[in-house]
Amino acid sequence: MAAHDGDTASYDRIRDVWGPRTPHARGTAWPERVDVHLESGLSEGDVERWVPSACVLCSNGCGCDIAVKDGRMVGVRGRADDAVNRGRLGPKGLYGSTPWASSTDRLTRPLVREGGRLVETDWDTALGRVVATSRRLLEEQGPLSHGFYTSGQLFLEEYYLQAVIGKAGLGTPHMDGNTRLCTATAAAALKESFGADGQPACHDDVEHCDALFLYGHNTAETQTVLWARILDRTRGADAPRLVCVDPRRTAVAEEARRTGGVHLAPRVGTNVALVNALTRELLEHGWVDGDYVGAHTVGYDDLAATVAAYPPEEAERICGVPADDVRRAARIFGESEAVLSTVLQGFYQSHQATAASVAVNNLHLLRGMIGRPGAGILQMNGQPTAQNNRECGADGDLTGFRNWDNPAHVRELAEQWNVDPMTIPHWAPPTHAMQIFAHAETGSIGLLWISATNPAVSMPESARIRRILGGDQCFVVVQDLFRTETAELADVVLPAAGWGEKTGTFTNADRTVHLSEQAVEPPGEARSDLQILLAYADAMGFTDRDGAPLVRWRTPEEVFDAWRESTCGRPVDYTGLSYDLLRRRSGVRWPVNDRHPEGSDRLYADAVFPTDTDVCETFGHDLVTGGTVTELEHRARAPGGRAFLKAAPYLPPHEEPSEDFPLRYTTGRTVHQFHTRTKTGRARRLDEAAPDAWVELSAADAEARDVHDGDWVRVDSPRGAIEVRARIGPVLEGAVFAPFHYGRWDPTDLAADAGHRQANELTMTVWDPVSKQPTFKTAACQVTRVRGRDRGGS
């Protein structure tokens, strides 16, 4: 089945977000449906080349081919043989994948700051300033003067090179990415329960489950192709029941009701109390696989003692969810044959993020619902290459899912890189993003290198971030496609090549690795992130302990091969993967090695987890305080390949509603935009569908404030304010929802609210004690009507 789309109204994926249905029964293959979009006036016959890649506009990583004509990317087509999408693409993938590349405001030459202004220059001058500053700081202050803040948008090869430069070349612990903002909790929860990162389940499990639980995961807007996959099951024979946990009445919530499932709408910040109550119900009713728990887990007694305090009535008191709905949801989980759970930002960016996400893992462990078709967990990612950031160690992880606190792991990596183990900064915990910006604020980090991300819009408490980036205390380097809000504050801006303009691999949310081939040349003097990092490493002259160049690779494939070697024997084993294999197959799930030469759909089918003290990626943490478990304490628990059951009591959020700020403020995404709109804001059809910011209020809260749909309102928190249009929508009473995508940049320069619409002006500089992920979803706020809707406005 092919679904072609030009500019015709007959097949408009702006309005028909998920495309036509292809329903099927449980246990049968998801039917193919190939989605195609080309620039207006072009047909597939006009395309000169189709270049294999995968979409990078959500974490799904849908296999696709890039259409090339006259040296330009002119469209995309889904690949029918790809296990992730079976040919489908979402609206962002269809309409947003290529227009940005031809935008007239692309960065094509380096920029440097002169007299307070950014001016064009040549590469030697721009990179020379970076190198001179880097050398001076190393001489005067040492490696702690350097910080790197990267993305979930680069390729694996670029992350690995950055990890080698930072950890073995400079020796700085100050490395993190914007993945800290979106899915650091996914990694933390997986490590705490199973000993290492890596999703136990895969997207194929949608075809096999008889119940699907979505925790804080508005799949219908954040991963539209995955939601289409779910709809094709719920509209087919033997459909699964859905349980949706979300304070908004989303399309997911409506489908849950339609399937005979449950919509649980907890108060913002109360997820731990809710999942504790679900867990207690499993124990009370005996919905537990006692043999599995006894043989393959540790910690049952402590878990049972913690959740005993959360009967459904207590959950209703804390969360506002009816006790009978808690019981119904627990019964669905307890009596189903195969449950698939997904978790995303509604848990990760909220209060007690890691504790709540680990609690979902507990449910599956209690029922032995891991490692078989339809039964598993997807602690989801929000970006297409977030997994690679964590795997390679460009963030706060040690390369190859190694343990910072295990000297043998550090020595192993030092031997591979041929450096002294003490060069690798393992003498203190790695610095997370919130601390990196605090160090930049004081000047203790004197050089902050930001790649492929826009923290001036995406970080919490935006006004503070702008002050940090715009101050004289820290030299800021930005490499990006455009002059983003962050680039405008930099001292040096380096023009980068984007997707389709370079070659590399990346891994999606279910461990599927794709190879993205270069389709076209980058514009002007723009270079790939790999080339930029190689030029820096060469200019700095980093060497190994024998005096040879530390970085010897020149091509993406050479870097990939080095990365493969670094994964040998680790849970994230890529040793059987190669560019050649990825060119023959459209997506392969790791681990790929001698034991799994074709890849691995699921982890832990044998119920053996990487929790052994000498193997695990972390010794663990206290879920309430974030305090670390020592090696001695970990050995005393003798996990021996068994998973950990861990629980935490509910604690109130850091900032509760008050008389001045009586509402709870939560941020999120909308279906037609991605991140800070760097690409989607330059795609006409997407931007026309969602051109401006808004806030969503419940009908009751709007009526109490005399606010009508389309009115301009002011939203205040203790940290700042925005003025945007109001929508009266399906959000829980007492909550206010705002999309975080919108900063000061606008493609038309006509947005009426461009200077006062940035959602993160209101959010807090507070983070989870374990994952260190910022808490974007529990600020207190007030909404006040400013004026009526604009004439002709929406």
Side-chain angles (χ1 to χ4, degrees), residues 386-446:
Q387 190 68 43
N388 300 124
N389 196 334
R390 305 194 317 240
E391 293 168 1
C392 295
D395 63 350
D397 293 310
L398 189 58
T399 305
F401 289 176
R402 289 178 172 83
N403 188 340
W404 282 107
D405 295 319
N406 187 327
H409 287 195
V410 177
R411 286 196 303 271
E412 184 177 88
L413 201 58
E415 289 172 6
Q416 291 181 10
W417 292 342
N418 195 27
V419 297
D420 189 311
M422 288 307 295
T423 301
I424 300 174
H426 62 288
W427 20 262
T431 315
H432 61 85
M434 305 299 283
Q435 290 177 322
I436 286 174
F437 279 85
H439 292 326
E441 187 172 27
T442 63
S444 64
I445 287 181

Coordinates of all heavy atoms in Angstrom, one line a residue, residues 386-446:
A386 N 19.7 10.0 20.9 CA 19.9 10.1 22.4 C 20.6 8.8 22.9 O 21.5 8.9 23.8 CB 18.6 10.3 23.1
Q387 N 20.2 7.7 22.4 CA 20.8 6.4 22.8 C 22.3 6.4 22.5 O 23.1 6.0 23.4 CB 20.1 5.3 22.1 CG 20.5 3.9 22.6 CD 19.9 3.7 24.0 OE1 18.8 4.0 24.3 NE2 20.7 3.1 24.9
N388 N 22.7 7.0 21.4 CA 24.2 7.0 21.1 C 25.0 7.9 22.0 O 26.1 7.6 22.3 CB 24.4 7.4 19.6 CG 23.7 6.5 18.6 OD1 22.9 6.9 17.8 ND2 24.0 5.2 18.7
N389 N 24.4 9.0 22.4 CA 25.0 9.9 23.3 C 25.4 9.1 24.6 O 26.5 9.2 25.1 CB 24.1 11.1 23.6 CG 24.9 12.2 24.3 OD1 25.9 12.0 24.9 ND2 24.3 13.4 24.1
R390 N 24.4 8.3 25.1 CA 24.6 7.6 26.3 C 25.6 6.4 26.1 O 26.5 6.1 26.9 CB 23.3 7.0 26.8 CG 22.3 8.1 27.0 CD 21.1 7.8 27.8 NE 20.4 6.5 27.6 CZ 19.2 6.4 27.2 NH1 18.4 7.4 26.9 NH2 18.6 5.2 27.0
E391 N 25.5 5.7 24.9 CA 26.3 4.6 24.6 C 27.8 5.0 24.6 O 28.7 4.3 25.1 CB 25.9 3.9 23.3 CG 24.5 3.3 23.3 CD 24.1 2.9 22.0 OE1 24.8 3.2 21.0 OE2 22.9 2.4 21.9
C392 N 28.0 6.1 23.8 CA 29.4 6.5 23.5 C 30.1 7.3 24.7 O 31.3 7.3 24.7 CB 29.4 7.4 22.3 SG 28.9 6.5 20.8
G393 N 29.3 7.8 25.6 CA 29.9 8.6 26.7 C 30.1 10.0 26.4 O 31.0 10.6 27.0
A394 N 29.4 10.6 25.4 CA 29.5 12.1 25.2 C 28.7 12.8 26.3 O 28.8 14.1 26.4 CB 29.0 12.5 23.8
D395 N 28.0 12.1 27.1 CA 27.3 12.7 28.2 C 28.0 12.3 29.5 O 29.2 12.1 29.5 CB 25.8 12.3 28.2 CG 25.6 10.8 28.4 OD1 26.6 10.1 28.4 OD2 24.5 10.4 28.6
G396 N 27.3 12.1 30.6 CA 27.9 11.7 31.8 C 28.2 10.2 32.0 O 28.5 9.8 33.1
D397 N 28.0 9.4 31.0 CA 28.2 8.0 31.1 C 29.6 7.7 30.6 O 30.3 8.4 29.9 CB 27.2 7.2 30.2 CG 25.8 7.3 30.7 OD1 25.6 7.1 31.9 OD2 24.9 7.7 29.9
L398 N 30.1 6.5 31.1 CA 31.4 6.1 30.7 C 31.2 5.2 29.4 O 30.4 4.3 29.4 CB 32.1 5.3 31.8 CG 33.6 4.9 31.6 CD1 34.4 6.2 31.3 CD2 34.1 4.1 32.8
T399 N 32.0 5.4 28.4 CA 31.9 4.8 27.1 C 31.7 3.2 27.2 O 32.3 2.5 27.9 CB 33.2 5.0 26.3 OG1 33.4 6.4 26.3 CG2 33.1 4.5 24.9
G400 N 30.7 2.8 26.4 CA 30.4 1.4 26.3 C 29.6 0.8 27.5 O 29.8 -0.4 27.9
F401 N 28.8 1.6 28.2 CA 28.0 1.2 29.4 C 29.0 0.7 30.5 O 28.7 -0.3 31.1 CB 27.0 0.2 29.0 CG 25.8 0.7 28.2 CD1 24.9 -0.2 27.7 CD2 25.7 2.0 27.9 CE1 23.8 0.2 27.0 CE2 24.6 2.5 27.1 CZ 23.7 1.6 26.7
R402 N 30.1 1.3 30.6 CA 31.0 1.0 31.7 C 30.7 1.8 33.0 O 30.0 2.8 33.0 CB 32.5 1.2 31.3 CG 32.9 0.2 30.2 CD 34.4 0.5 29.7 NE 34.8 -0.6 28.9 CZ 34.6 -0.7 27.6 NH1 33.8 0.2 27.0 NH2 35.0 -1.7 26.9
N403 N 31.3 1.3 34.1 CA 31.0 1.8 35.4 C 32.1 2.8 35.9 O 33.3 2.3 36.0 CB 30.8 0.7 36.4 CG 30.3 1.1 37.8 OD1 30.4 2.3 38.1 ND2 29.8 0.1 38.5
W404 N 31.8 4.0 36.1 CA 32.8 5.0 36.5 C 33.5 4.6 37.8 O 34.6 4.9 38.1 CB 32.1 6.3 36.8 CG 31.8 7.2 35.6 CD1 30.5 7.4 35.0 CD2 32.7 7.9 34.8 NE1 30.7 8.2 33.9 CE2 32.0 8.5 33.8 CE3 34.1 8.1 34.9 CZ2 32.6 9.4 32.8 CZ3 34.7 8.9 33.9 CH2 33.9 9.5 32.9
D405 N 32.7 3.8 38.7 CA 33.3 3.5 40.0 C 33.9 2.1 40.0 O 34.3 1.6 41.0 CB 32.1 3.4 41.0 CG 31.5 4.8 41.2 OD1 32.3 5.8 41.3 OD2 30.3 5.0 41.3
N406 N 34.1 1.5 38.8 CA 34.8 0.2 38.7 C 36.2 0.5 38.1 O 36.3 0.7 36.8 CB 34.0 -0.7 37.8 CG 34.5 -2.1 37.8 OD1 35.8 -2.3 37.9 ND2 33.7 -3.1 37.7
P407 N 37.3 0.4 38.8 CA 38.6 0.7 38.3 C 39.0 -0.2 37.1 O 39.7 0.2 36.2 CB 39.5 0.4 39.5 CG 38.7 0.6 40.7 CD 37.3 0.1 40.3
A408 N 38.5 -1.4 37.1 CA 38.8 -2.4 36.0 C 38.2 -1.9 34.7 O 38.8 -2.0 33.6 CB 38.3 -3.8 36.3
H409 N 37.0 -1.3 34.8 CA 36.3 -0.7 33.6 C 37.1 0.5 33.0 O 37.3 0.6 31.8 CB 34.9 -0.3 33.9 CG 33.9 -1.4 34.1 ND1 32.6 -1.3 34.1 CD2 34.2 -2.8 34.3 CE1 32.0 -2.4 34.3 NE2 32.9 -3.4 34.4
V410 N 37.6 1.3 33.9 CA 38.3 2.5 33.5 C 39.7 2.0 32.9 O 40.1 2.6 31.8 CB 38.6 3.4 34.7 CG1 39.5 4.6 34.3 CG2 37.3 3.9 35.3
R411 N 40.3 1.1 33.5 CA 41.6 0.5 32.9 C 41.4 -0.1 31.5 O 42.2 0.1 30.6 CB 42.2 -0.5 33.8 CG 42.8 0.1 35.1 CD 43.7 -1.0 35.7 NE 43.0 -2.2 36.1 CZ 42.4 -2.4 37.2 NH1 42.4 -1.5 38.1 NH2 41.8 -3.6 37.5
E412 N 40.3 -0.8 31.4 CA 39.9 -1.4 30.1 C 39.8 -0.3 29.0 O 40.4 -0.5 27.9 CB 38.6 -2.2 30.2 CG 38.2 -3.0 29.0 CD 36.9 -3.7 29.3 OE1 35.8 -3.2 29.1 OE2 37.0 -4.9 29.8
L413 N 39.1 0.8 29.3 CA 39.0 1.8 28.3 C 40.3 2.5 28.1 O 40.6 2.9 26.9 CB 37.9 2.8 28.8 CG 37.2 3.7 27.8 CD1 36.6 2.9 26.7 CD2 36.2 4.6 28.5
A414 N 41.1 2.7 29.1 CA 42.4 3.4 29.0 C 43.3 2.6 28.1 O 44.1 3.1 27.3 CB 43.0 3.6 30.4
E415 N 43.2 1.3 28.2 CA 44.0 0.4 27.3 C 43.6 0.6 25.9 O 44.5 0.6 25.0 CB 43.9 -1.0 27.8 CG 44.7 -1.3 29.1 CD 44.4 -2.7 29.7 OE1 43.7 -3.5 29.0 OE2 44.8 -3.0 30.8
Q416 N 42.3 0.6 25.6 CA 41.8 0.8 24.3 C 42.3 2.1 23.7 O 42.6 2.2 22.5 CB 40.3 0.6 24.2 CG 39.8 -0.8 24.5 CD 38.3 -0.9 24.5 OE1 37.6 0.0 24.0 NE2 37.8 -2.1 24.9
W417 N 42.3 3.1 24.5 CA 42.7 4.5 24.0 C 44.2 4.7 24.1 O 44.7 5.7 23.7 CB 41.9 5.5 24.7 CG 40.4 5.5 24.4 CD1 39.8 5.0 23.3 CD2 39.4 6.1 25.2 NE1 38.4 5.2 23.4 CE2 38.1 5.9 24.5 CE3 39.3 6.9 26.4 CZ2 36.9 6.3 25.0 CZ3 38.1 7.3 26.8 CH2 36.9 7.1 26.1
N418 N 44.8 3.8 24.8 CA 46.3 3.9 25.1 C 46.6 5.2 25.8 O 47.5 6.0 25.4 CB 47.1 3.8 23.8 CG 48.6 3.5 24.1 OD1 48.9 2.9 25.1 ND2 49.4 3.9 23.1
V419 N 45.9 5.4 26.9 CA 46.2 6.6 27.8 C 46.3 6.1 29.2 O 45.9 5.0 29.6 CB 45.1 7.7 27.7 CG1 45.0 8.2 26.3 CG2 43.7 7.1 28.1
D420 N 46.9 6.9 30.1 CA 47.0 6.6 31.5 C 45.6 6.6 32.1 O 44.8 7.5 31.8 CB 47.8 7.7 32.2 CG 48.1 7.4 33.6 OD1 47.2 7.0 34.4 OD2 49.3 7.5 34.0
P421 N 45.2 5.6 32.9 CA 43.9 5.6 33.4 C 43.5 6.8 34.2 O 42.3 7.2 34.2 CB 43.9 4.3 34.4 CG 44.9 3.5 33.8 CD 46.0 4.4 33.2
M422 N 44.5 7.5 34.8 CA 44.2 8.7 35.6 C 43.8 9.9 34.7 O 43.3 10.9 35.1 CB 45.4 9.1 36.4 CG 45.6 8.1 37.6 SD 44.1 7.9 38.6 CE 43.9 9.6 39.3
T423 N 44.1 9.8 33.4 CA 43.7 10.8 32.4 C 42.1 10.8 32.3 O 41.5 11.9 32.2 CB 44.3 10.6 31.1 OG1 45.7 10.6 31.2 CG2 43.8 11.7 30.1
I424 N 41.5 9.7 32.4 CA 40.1 9.5 32.3 C 39.5 10.0 33.6 O 39.8 9.4 34.6 CB 39.7 8.1 31.9 CG1 40.3 7.7 30.6 CG2 38.1 8.0 31.9 CD1 40.0 6.2 30.2
P425 N 38.7 11.0 33.6 CA 38.3 11.7 34.9 C 37.3 10.8 35.7 O 36.1 11.1 35.7 CB 37.7 13.0 34.4 CG 37.1 12.7 33.1 CD 38.1 11.7 32.4
H426 N 37.7 9.8 36.4 CA 36.8 9.0 37.2 C 37.0 9.2 38.7 O 36.4 8.4 39.4 CB 37.1 7.5 36.8 CG 38.5 7.0 37.2 ND1 39.6 7.4 36.5 CD2 38.9 6.2 38.2 CE1 40.7 6.9 37.1 NE2 40.3 6.1 38.1
W427 N 37.7 10.2 39.1 CA 37.9 10.5 40.5 C 36.8 11.2 41.1 O 36.8 11.5 42.3 CB 39.2 11.3 40.6 CG 39.7 12.0 39.4 CD1 40.6 11.6 38.5 CD2 39.1 13.2 38.9 NE1 40.7 12.5 37.4 CE2 39.8 13.5 37.6 CE3 38.2 14.1 39.3 CZ2 39.5 14.6 36.9 CZ3 37.9 15.3 38.5 CH2 38.6 15.5 37.3
A428 N 35.8 11.6 40.4 CA 34.6 12.2 41.0 C 33.4 11.9 40.0 O 33.6 11.5 38.9 CB 34.8 13.7 41.1
P429 N 32.2 12.0 40.5 CA 31.0 11.8 39.6 C 31.1 12.7 38.4 O 31.5 13.9 38.5 CB 29.8 12.1 40.5 CG 30.3 12.0 41.9 CD 31.8 12.4 41.9
P430 N 30.7 12.3 37.2 CA 30.6 13.1 36.1 C 29.7 14.3 36.3 O 28.7 14.2 37.1 CB 30.1 12.2 34.9 CG 29.4 11.1 35.6 CD 30.1 10.9 36.9
T431 N 30.0 15.4 35.6 CA 29.2 16.6 35.8 C 28.0 16.6 34.9 O 28.1 16.5 33.7 CB 30.1 17.9 35.5 OG1 31.4 17.7 36.1 CG2 29.4 19.1 36.0
H432 N 26.8 16.8 35.5 CA 25.6 16.8 34.7 C 25.3 18.2 34.2 O 25.9 19.2 34.6 CB 24.4 16.2 35.4 CG 24.0 17.0 36.7 ND1 23.2 18.1 36.7 CD2 24.4 16.7 38.0 CE1 23.1 18.5 37.9 NE2 23.7 17.7 38.8
A433 N 24.4 18.3 33.2 CA 24.2 19.6 32.5 C 23.9 20.8 33.4 O 24.4 21.9 33.2 CB 23.1 19.4 31.5
M434 N 23.1 20.5 34.5 CA 22.7 21.6 35.3 C 23.9 22.2 36.1 O 24.0 23.4 36.3 CB 21.6 21.2 36.3 CG 20.4 20.5 35.6 SD 19.5 21.7 34.6 CE 18.7 22.7 35.8
Q435 N 24.8 21.3 36.4 CA 26.1 21.7 37.1 C 27.0 22.4 36.1 O 27.7 23.3 36.4 CB 26.8 20.5 37.8 CG 26.0 20.0 39.0 CD 26.7 18.8 39.5 OE1 27.2 17.9 38.8 NE2 26.8 18.7 40.8
I436 N 27.0 21.9 34.9 CA 27.9 22.5 33.8 C 27.6 23.9 33.7 O 28.5 24.8 33.6 CB 27.8 21.7 32.5 CG1 28.5 20.4 32.6 CG2 28.4 22.5 31.3 CD1 28.4 19.4 31.4
F437 N 26.3 24.3 33.6 CA 25.9 25.6 33.4 C 26.1 26.5 34.6 O 26.5 27.7 34.5 CB 24.4 25.7 32.9 CG 24.3 25.5 31.4 CD1 24.2 24.2 30.9 CD2 24.3 26.6 30.5 CE1 24.1 24.0 29.5 CE2 24.2 26.3 29.2 CZ 24.1 25.1 28.7
A438 N 26.0 25.8 35.8 CA 26.4 26.6 37.0 C 27.9 26.9 37.1 O 28.3 28.0 37.5 CB 26.0 25.7 38.2
H439 N 28.7 26.0 36.6 CA 30.2 26.2 36.5 C 30.5 27.3 35.5 O 31.4 28.1 35.7 CB 30.9 24.9 36.2 CG 30.9 23.9 37.3 ND1 30.9 24.2 38.6 CD2 30.9 22.5 37.2 CE1 30.9 23.1 39.3 NE2 30.9 22.1 38.5
A440 N 29.8 27.3 34.4 CA 30.0 28.3 33.4 C 29.5 29.7 33.9 O 30.1 30.7 33.6 CB 29.2 28.0 32.1
E441 N 28.5 29.7 34.8 CA 28.0 30.9 35.4 C 29.1 31.6 36.2 O 29.2 32.8 36.2 CB 26.8 30.6 36.2 CG 26.0 31.8 36.7 CD 24.7 31.4 37.4 OE1 24.6 30.2 37.9 OE2 23.8 32.2 37.4
T442 N 29.8 30.8 36.9 CA 30.9 31.3 37.8 C 32.2 31.6 37.1 O 33.1 32.2 37.6 CB 31.1 30.4 39.0 OG1 31.6 29.2 38.5 CG2 29.8 30.2 39.8
G443 N 32.3 31.0 35.9 CA 33.6 31.1 35.2 C 34.6 30.0 35.4 O 35.7 30.0 34.9
S444 N 34.2 29.0 36.3 CA 35.2 27.9 36.5 C 35.2 27.0 35.3 O 36.3 26.4 35.1 CB 34.7 27.1 37.8 OG 33.5 26.5 37.6
I445 N 34.2 27.0 34.5 CA 34.3 26.5 33.2 C 34.5 27.7 32.3 O 33.6 28.6 32.2 CB 33.0 25.7 32.7 CG1 33.0 24.3 33.4 CG2 33.0 25.5 31.2 CD1 31.8 23.5 33.0
G446 N 35.6 27.8 31.7 CA 36.0 29.0 30.9 C 35.7 28.8 29.4 O 35.7 29.8 28.7

